[in-house]
Structures are given as C-alpha cells and as structure tokens.
C-alpha cells in the first residue's frame, strides 16, 4: 500500500506539474498574440489517450459492459471511430473478442468494470490464453487512493489475470499509457497468440496524460536453419510409414496450401486436430480427418504404424501426445514458428523453427517419396463407408451423424460452424467435414461451455455474407443464451442449432463408460427453447422429423434476425460408438498378435 501511495503521489505531482507548465506555455502564447484553437488548450485525459492508442492499433470494435469506474473510458470511446457493442454478460464479451482474434489475427478487445464485471471476463480470457487467440481485456478499477484499503468491489485484478494472460499491467502513471497499450497488443499477437490485460484505475483515467500512441512495429518473418531443413528432408525421405499431424498453429500461420502440397507430392497421410480441421480438405486423397475424441478411433491406427510423425503447427495443449500414441521408437519432426514444448512423450529428432509455409516448401525441395500409403488409403475407405452408413438413419430423435450430414449439405465450403463443448463436439470433430481452415471453430485448449453463441456472433459480425451456425447442447445453450438479445439488437443474424437431450451429455457419456453404463447428477429439465427464442425476438423452430432438418436450416438462414432450431438428439449413439471403437481396436490388436 505504501508503494502504491508513493507511486500515486508521484504520478499526480508529475501530472499537475506538467499541466501547470502546459498552462504557462499556453498563457505565454496568448499574451504574445498567438491564436489558439479551442481543442488545443486542453490536454487529453488518460482514458482519451488509451482510446487513441486503441485506434492506432486498428481496433474497430470493443465488446463489453460499462460500469461506474469506466465512465471516462466509455465517453472517450463514444467520441472515437470505435464501435462499442454492449453485451448481456462479460463472459460473452470475452468469447466474442476471442473469436474475433482467431478469425482476423488481430487482438479482439473486451471491456468490463471492476469486481464482478472483471471476474465474469475470466473464463473467456482463459480460453483465449490456452487456445492461442489474440485478445486484450481492459478492466476498470478503483482509484489508486483506495487500493491500500479494504474497499467496495476492489480486487487485485492485475494479479488475478496474471496466470491466464501473457501480460497483465495496471496503468498507474498517465504518461505510460502508450507503452502499456502497445505492449499489450504486441504480446497478444506475437508468437503463439493469447490474452493480455490492462487495468485502468478510475482516478488515473481522469488525469491529463502527456502521452501519444506508439506505432506498431514491423513484423519480421523468421526462417528456419537450412541444416534443420535438410535433416527433416532426410528423415521424411527415408520414412516407411510417415504421418503428418496438423495443429492449430498451421491455421494461424495460413499454411494450408503448403501442407496440402506436401501431403500430395510426398504421398503422406494427414491427420488434423480439432482446431486444425480444414487445413487439408476432407476430400483430399490423403486426408485421414480428425483426432481428439477420448476413444481410440480409426486414425489412431495410422499413428500406431507410423515410424515418423511430422508435427506441423502442433500445440500440446489441444491434443496431448498420449492421445495420438507418441512412442519412444517414433521419430518426430517438429515444424512450427516456435520451438517444441517440453513433454517426455514429445521429443523431436529435429525442430524446424521459422515461417511454416516457407519451411514446408524448403523441405519439399530436398525430400523425395514415391510410395503410396496403401494402409492409410484403405483406412480412409473404411472410414468413408462407415460415416456414410451412419448418416442415413431417418429416426427421430435424430442420430448425431445424420444431423451433421444434413448440416453439411446446407453449409457452403467457406461457411462457419462454431461448436460449443459437450457430446456434440465429439461428433462434430468426427463427422463434420471441413474443406477450409477456420470454418469449424472449437474451444479445445480450454474447452469451455458457453463458447458457441458469442463466438458465432463475432464470426457473423466479421463475415456477414457467410452462413454462420452455432451448434450447442441444451446445457451449453443456457450458459450464454442471453447474447441472442445482443444479436437481435445489433442485427447479426446467425443460426443456433440446439441438440436437446435434457442432460450434460458428454459427462453422462464418460460416466457410462467408466461405471458400467450408469450415470448420476447430469439430468435436468428445459424451457421451451422455441418460445424462449421468440421471446427474445428471434425466429424459433423445432424439428419433429429427420427429413425436416434441411428445409428448416435453409429457412432459418434466410431470416434477417437470429434463429434458433431445436433438434432432439439420440445420444444412445454415444455408448454404441464407444463399444464399436473398442471392438475395432480389439480386433486390430488380435490381428497384430
């Protein structure tokens, strides 16, 4: 508290002194007959300069809820070119900023007041931190003169956000605002992106600030060491059964074209993580689709046979090495714009660190392969036949695979599906076909329920001409359904598809797997979601027959207001899938023996 007090007094004295000198200089100019413009006679406040800095960073929208401690900031935003979107819960604001950052590569910005407003941001900020989405969170705070006391709504927000951000700083001197904002955006966007935090005390926001926005530094591409390129090319050329594992870093690096060319020219099967769906199109000959569901799936067989795994943009937080079966006798080639993380099951033989696309193209100059991966191609044919068979069931409640097959028929290749977290997420990972990156968005490093509706709002805001579909369970829907009002008010017409089963389906599935089919404490009742949607001035639909889903989706996407579709889902398919995959793997192990 003594440190805060001294810093505050120094800041206030410094500001007052500068303001006094400023006034004397202005008075001297007036007495000398110099004409002053009215706006030149008043130094801008810290809040105003902070907004100037946001504009200099290219911020065009902020998601948030105003509060008493952010009033100066709100009026500064009002007088700027930035669009402020008031949301209905700060968690929604953070998820919106998260998805905005994922899709643009520029930090999304969310804002809250102190205390409960700031704590409500935490889930979405943590999601951006673990999932690698550039985000800057701004919070209001009590004045520095109150921080040494037990004070109404006061928490040490800088300390609170520190574990879930790359950088968390409080503005305690007005003249530092330009540096703090620039550093927040630099850290949010550089390397593996993530969240940063700026805390603005109420009294500092009002002080005159002798500061200006700092210019954005030029981004320099880094290129891999040629000896590492050559080593990787040699390993890949000599591999008998190589597999490419694509992670979310490849999406951020816009490396889809390079990776697809590597797969096609070197005849190497490709498996993607959930967040990397679409990097290699599903209909590419060498695509083995997605890994990441809890059960061992067909794609695990490719890794079981692999002697070399080429991990491109792979992030351990999304899909741990144990999930794809990393082994001590497996050679790993790490290709990314950052060094490999530390994990005893992920020990690369060579690390190719630099621009991902450039690294891949350089490897293609020296790597040679001509053998077709017959096992992988046969595996793909088996998967295709099974998926097609599962998609033809006409029953209602609808089977998950049929729902997703129908959704795919309505969505274009570039349209965007935003998945919430729940049992449906596993089915989307396994059965929703993707052809371009960033067309199927997951919360997977943090895996937070409530992600889909605010995420879909941000996606539709950025891409008004694309179909945007939020897919959620009835549990996840109730966590952020209030943001449908935001979508109505802001005229952002995306579609929400609720898979209704009146339970926390993923936890029920895990309970049933571990406790012999039994479950507990996961069931609940639901409101009439169709009526709830209409009460919020959305269009509401309920699907009663499987053949009605496609026309209902098509009608919903024609609306100029948000739409909500409720589809009863048959989650007895969950345990059927578990038993089927267990049987497939048992047969495979017996064949090996």
């Amino acid at each position: 508290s003594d440190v805060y007090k001294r810093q505050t007094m120094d800041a206030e004295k410094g500001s007052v002194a500068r303001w006094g000198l400023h006034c004397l200089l202005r008075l001297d100019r007036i007495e000398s007959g110099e004409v002053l413009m009215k706006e030149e006679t008043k130094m801008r406040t810290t809040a105003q300069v902070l907004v100037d800095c946001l504009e200099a960073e290219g911020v065009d929208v902020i998601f948030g809820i105003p509060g008493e401690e952010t009033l100066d900031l709100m009026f500064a935003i009002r007088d700027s070119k930035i669009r402020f979107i008031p949301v209905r819960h700060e968690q929604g604001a953070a998820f919106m900023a998260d998805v905005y950052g994922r899709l643009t590569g520029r930090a999304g910005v969310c804002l809250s007041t102190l205390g409960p407003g700031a704590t409500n941001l935490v889930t979405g900020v943590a999601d951006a931190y673990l999932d690698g989405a550039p985000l800057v969170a701004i919070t209001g705070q009590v004045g520095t003169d109150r921080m040494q006391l037990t004070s109404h709504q006061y928490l040490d927000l800088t300390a609170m956000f520190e574990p879930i951000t790359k950088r968390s700083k409080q503005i305690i001197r007005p003249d530092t605002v330009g540096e703090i904002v620039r550093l927040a955006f630099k850290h949010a966007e550089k390397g593996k992106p993530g969240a940063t935090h700026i805390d603005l005390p109420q009294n500092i926001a009002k002080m005159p600030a002798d500061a200006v926005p700092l210019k954005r530094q030029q981004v320099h591409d880094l290129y891999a060491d040629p000896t590492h390129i050559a080593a990787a090319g040699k390993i890949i050329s000599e591999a008998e059964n190589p597999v490419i594992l694509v992670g979310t870093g490849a999406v951020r690096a816009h490396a889809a074209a390079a990776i697809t060319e590597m797969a096609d020219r070197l005849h190497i099967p490709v498996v993607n993580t959930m967040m990397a769906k679409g990097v290699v199109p599903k209909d590419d000959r060498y695509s083995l689709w997605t890994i990441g569901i809890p059960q061992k799936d067909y794609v695990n067989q490719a890794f079981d046979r692999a002697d070399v795994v080429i991990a491109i943009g792979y992030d351990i937080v999304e899909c741990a090495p144990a999930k794809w079966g990393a082994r001590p006798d497996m050679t790993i080639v790490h290709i990314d714009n950052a060094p490999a993380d530390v994990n005893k099951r992920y020990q690369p033989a060579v690390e190719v660190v630099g621009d991902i696309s450039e690294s891949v193209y350089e490897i293609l100059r020296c790597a040679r392969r001509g053998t077709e991966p017959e096992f992988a191609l046969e595996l793909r044919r088996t998967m295709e036949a099974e998926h097609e068979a599962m998609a033809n069931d006409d029953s209602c409640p609808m089977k998950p695979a049929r729902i997703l097959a129908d959704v795919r028929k309505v969505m274009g290749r570039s349209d965007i599906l935003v998945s919430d977290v729940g049992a449906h997420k596993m089915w989307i990972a396994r059965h929703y076909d993707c052809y371009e990156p960033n067309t199927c968005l997951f919360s997977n490093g943090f895996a937070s329920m409530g992600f889909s509706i605010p995420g879909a709002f941000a996606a539709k805001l950025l891409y008004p001409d694309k179909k945007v579909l939020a897919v959620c369970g009835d549990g996840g829907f109730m966590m952020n359904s209030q943001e449908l009002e935001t979508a109505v008010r802001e005229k952002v017409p995306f579609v929400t598809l609720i898979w209704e089963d009146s339970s926390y389906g993923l936890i029920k599935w895990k309970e049933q797997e571990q406790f012999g089919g039994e479950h507990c404490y996961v069931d609940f009742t639901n409101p009439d979601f169709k009526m709830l949607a209409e009460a919020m001035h959305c269009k509401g639909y309920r699907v009663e027959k499987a053949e009605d889903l496609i026309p209902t989706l098509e009608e919903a996407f024609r609306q100029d207001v948000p739409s909500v579709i409720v589809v009863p889902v048959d989650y007895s398919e969950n345990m059927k899938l578990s038993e089927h995959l267990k049987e497939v793997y048992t047969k495979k192990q017996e064949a090996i023996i």
Side-chain angles (χ1 to χ4, degrees), residues 541-561:
Y541 304 89
R542 185 173 183 86
V543 173
E544 303 290 354
K545 296 182 294 184
E547 58 265 32
D548 291 343
L549 179 56
I550 288 178
T552 302
L553 282 164
E554 291 172 338
E555 181 181 338
F557 278 119
R558 288 193 293 267
Q559 302 301 321
D560 57 4
V561 296

Side-chain angles (χ1 to χ4, degrees), residues 272-292:
N272 56 257
T273 63
M274 291 188 191
M275 291 172 65
K277 283 174 76 73
V279 169
V280 173
K282 181 263 178 184
D283 52 3
D284 186 277
R285 173 179 172 80
Y286 298 104
S287 173
L288 290 185
W289 312 343
T290 304
I291 194 164

Side-chain angles (χ1 to χ4, degrees), residues 340-516:
D341 209 334
V342 176
N343 187 290
K344 65 182 179 182
R345 297 190 67 167
Y346 188 75
Q347 300 288 310
V350 60
E351 297 187 37
V352 182
V353 179
D355 179 86
I356 293 178
S357 293
E358 185 68 21
S359 295
V360 170
Y361 286 130
E362 287 300 313
I363 290 171
L364 284 174
R365 293 178 187 273
C366 59
R368 297 289 182 270
R369 291 188 57 79
T371 306
E372 286 285 1
E374 294 299 338
F375 177 81
L377 296 177
E378 179 60 32
L379 196 63
R380 178 184 166 89
R381 287 190 286 270
T382 300
M383 292 160 59
E384 285 179 325
E386 180 177 292
H387 284 219
E388 185 176 344
M390 294 176 74
N392 290 328
D393 194 300
D394 291 331
S395 60
C396 195
M398 291 184 69
K399 301 293 192 290
R402 169 63 186 271
I403 295 173
L404 293 170
D406 286 359
V407 167
R408 185 68 271 180
K409 291 173 183 175
V410 175
M411 302 285 280
R413 290 174 76 100
S414 299
D415 292 333
I416 299 172
L417 183 150
V418 184
S419 173
D420 216 280
V421 173
H424 63 279
K425 174 184 165 185
M426 304 301 120
W427 288 96
I428 291 170
R430 195 173 193 268
H431 286 264
Y432 185 71
D433 302 333
C434 286
Y435 304 92
E436 298 176 15
N438 270 337
T439 57
C440 186
L441 304 182
F442 292 94
S443 168
N444 204 42
F446 195 57
S448 174
M449 295 175 71
F451 171 79
S452 63
I453 291 177
F457 175 91
K460 186 66 175 180
L461 189 72
L462 284 165
Y463 297 104
D465 295 331
K466 292 186 178 184
K467 296 187 184 77
V468 175
L469 179 68
V471 179
C472 54
D474 38 13
F477 176 81
M478 291 294 283
M479 292 189 179
N480 271 317
S481 61
Q482 73 282 344
E483 300 309 337
L484 288 172
E485 186 281 327
T486 306
V488 170
R489 173 172 23 96
E490 298 292 332
K491 297 180 173 57
V492 180
F494 61 90
V495 176
T496 300
L497 182 65
I498 304 173
W499 293 25
E500 186 179 41
D501 73 317
S502 299
S503 73
Y504 293 114
L506 182 57
I507 304 304
K508 179 186 283 188
W509 189 354
K510 290 178 180 291
E511 287 180 344
Q512 290 171 330
E513 283 189 322
Q514 294 182 41
F515 295 94

Side-chain angles (χ1 to χ4, degrees), residues 507-539:
I507 304 304
K508 179 186 283 188
W509 189 354
K510 290 178 180 291
E511 287 180 344
Q512 290 171 330
E513 283 189 322
Q514 294 182 41
F515 295 94
E518 296 185 14
H519 65 272
C520 60
Y521 307 119
V522 289
D523 297 323
F524 48 73
T525 59
N526 283 320
D528 185 323
F529 289 126
K530 180 177 180 294
M531 292 182 65
L532 180 62
E534 292 169 349
M536 286 193 281
H537 309 292
C538 300
K539 291 288 291 184

Side-chain angles (χ1 to χ4, degrees), residues 329-350:
D329 64 336
M330 179 185 282
T331 301
I332 297 173
V333 175
H334 174 87
I335 304 174
D336 201 357
N337 56 17
D341 209 334
V342 176
N343 187 290
K344 65 182 179 182
R345 297 190 67 167
Y346 188 75
Q347 300 288 310
V350 60

Side-chain angles (χ1 to χ4, degrees), residues 135-406:
L135 175 149
V136 174
I138 302 172
T139 56
Q141 184 56 282
V142 301
T144 54
D145 55 329
R146 289 169 52 193
M147 290 181 184
Q148 77 277 14
L149 305 171
T150 300
S151 187
H152 178 66
Q153 291 191 320
Y154 172 64
L155 293 173
D156 186 343
L157 298 181
T158 307
M160 186 180 78
F161 279 94
E162 191 167 335
I164 58 170
T165 58
K166 297 175 70 178
R167 178 181 172 87
S168 179
K169 293 294 178 182
Q170 185 178 81
I171 301 173
I172 57 174
R173 286 175 43 188
D175 62 320
T176 63
V177 61
E179 295 163 329
I180 288 175
V181 173
R182 177 80 281 273
L183 282 165
F185 279 82
K186 180 177 180 178
H187 283 270
E189 295 171 353
K190 76 172 186 177
K192 178 186 174 180
T196 60
H197 167 239
I198 299 171
D199 194 37
L200 180 61
Q202 187 176 19
N203 61 331
I204 303 296
K206 297 177 179 295
M207 291 181 184
D210 185 12
V212 294
L214 303 185
K215 68 177 183 179
R216 293 174 63 92
Q217 293 102 325
Q218 183 178 352
V219 178
H220 300 282
D221 292 328
L222 300 177
Y223 299 104
D225 187 320
T227 61
H228 297 170
I229 294 282
K234 185 174 186 296
I235 291 171
I236 294 169
S237 297
E238 296 175 354
E240 293 184 9
N241 295 301
V243 174
I244 296 173
L245 173 62
V246 180
T248 183
V251 178
R252 292 192 294 263
H254 308 288
I259 296 169
T260 302
E261 186 170 343
M262 172 181 269
D264 292 345
R265 282 175 53 182
L266 300 183
H267 315 289
I268 303 176
V270 183
V271 177
N272 56 257
T273 63
M274 291 188 191
M275 291 172 65
K277 283 174 76 73
V279 169
V280 173
K282 181 263 178 184
D283 52 3
D284 186 277
R285 173 179 172 80
Y286 298 104
S287 173
L288 290 185
W289 312 343
T290 304
I291 194 164
I293 69 171
Q295 300 80 8
K296 284 190 178 295
D297 207 340
Y298 287 100
V299 295
N300 289 87
Q301 297 180 33
F303 287 103
D304 290 345
R305 290 173 57 91
D307 57 335
V308 172
V309 171
I310 308 157
I312 308 179
Y314 167 62
D315 191 336
I316 286 175
V317 74
E318 184 193 358
C319 184
K323 286 190 174 182
W324 47 270
R327 309 183 309 274
D329 64 336
M330 179 185 282
T331 301
I332 297 173
V333 175
H334 174 87
I335 304 174
D336 201 357
N337 56 17
D341 209 334
V342 176
N343 187 290
K344 65 182 179 182
R345 297 190 67 167
Y346 188 75
Q347 300 288 310
V350 60
E351 297 187 37
V352 182
V353 179
D355 179 86
I356 293 178
S357 293
E358 185 68 21
S359 295
V360 170
Y361 286 130
E362 287 300 313
I363 290 171
L364 284 174
R365 293 178 187 273
C366 59
R368 297 289 182 270
R369 291 188 57 79
T371 306
E372 286 285 1
E374 294 299 338
F375 177 81
L377 296 177
E378 179 60 32
L379 196 63
R380 178 184 166 89
R381 287 190 286 270
T382 300
M383 292 160 59
E384 285 179 325
E386 180 177 292
H387 284 219
E388 185 176 344
M390 294 176 74
N392 290 328
D393 194 300
D394 291 331
S395 60
C396 195
M398 291 184 69
K399 301 293 192 290
R402 169 63 186 271
I403 295 173
L404 293 170
D406 286 359

Side-chain angles (χ1 to χ4, degrees), residues 15-183:
S15 297
V16 170
R18 283 190 294 274
W19 178 245
L21 178 61
H22 174 77
C23 291
L24 287 172
L25 291 171
R26 295 297 183 183
L27 181 61
D28 185 58
R29 291 177 67 193
I30 292 171
E31 288 177 346
S32 65
E34 185 177 347
V35 179
L36 297 177
M37 297 297 291
K38 182 178 179 181
E39 58 271 21
E40 290 182 336
T41 64
K42 186 176 180 181
M43 186 179 289
R44 293 176 71 74
T45 66
T46 306
Q48 290 171 325
V49 175
L50 190 151
V51 172
D52 292 344
C53 293
L54 296 179
E55 287 189 306
E57 295 291 343
V59 175
D60 54 9
V61 61
I62 298 174
F63 310 97
I65 297 179
E68 183 179 348
E69 285 71 21
T70 60
L71 295 182
D72 290 275
L73 199 52
M74 301 313 304
F75 277 82
I77 293 170
R78 184 199 65 175
D79 296 334
S80 74
K81 298 177 182 177
I82 298 172
R83 176 182 180 183
F84 185 82
I85 296 181
V87 301
R88 302 308 300 268
H89 193 286
E90 291 88 353
Q91 185 184 116
F95 280 136
M96 291 172 190
D98 176 322
V99 169
Y100 182 100
R102 294 183 197 218
L103 293 177
T104 65
R106 296 181 287 113
V109 180
C110 54
L111 182 146
S112 80
T113 189
L114 79 174
T119 58
N120 282 347
L121 283 179
V122 165
T123 298
V125 171
D127 187 84
Y129 176 65
L130 283 186
D131 279 17
L135 175 149
V136 174
I138 302 172
T139 56
Q141 184 56 282
V142 301
T144 54
D145 55 329
R146 289 169 52 193
M147 290 181 184
Q148 77 277 14
L149 305 171
T150 300
S151 187
H152 178 66
Q153 291 191 320
Y154 172 64
L155 293 173
D156 186 343
L157 298 181
T158 307
M160 186 180 78
F161 279 94
E162 191 167 335
I164 58 170
T165 58
K166 297 175 70 178
R167 178 181 172 87
S168 179
K169 293 294 178 182
Q170 185 178 81
I171 301 173
I172 57 174
R173 286 175 43 188
D175 62 320
T176 63
V177 61
E179 295 163 329
I180 288 175
V181 173
R182 177 80 281 273
L183 282 165

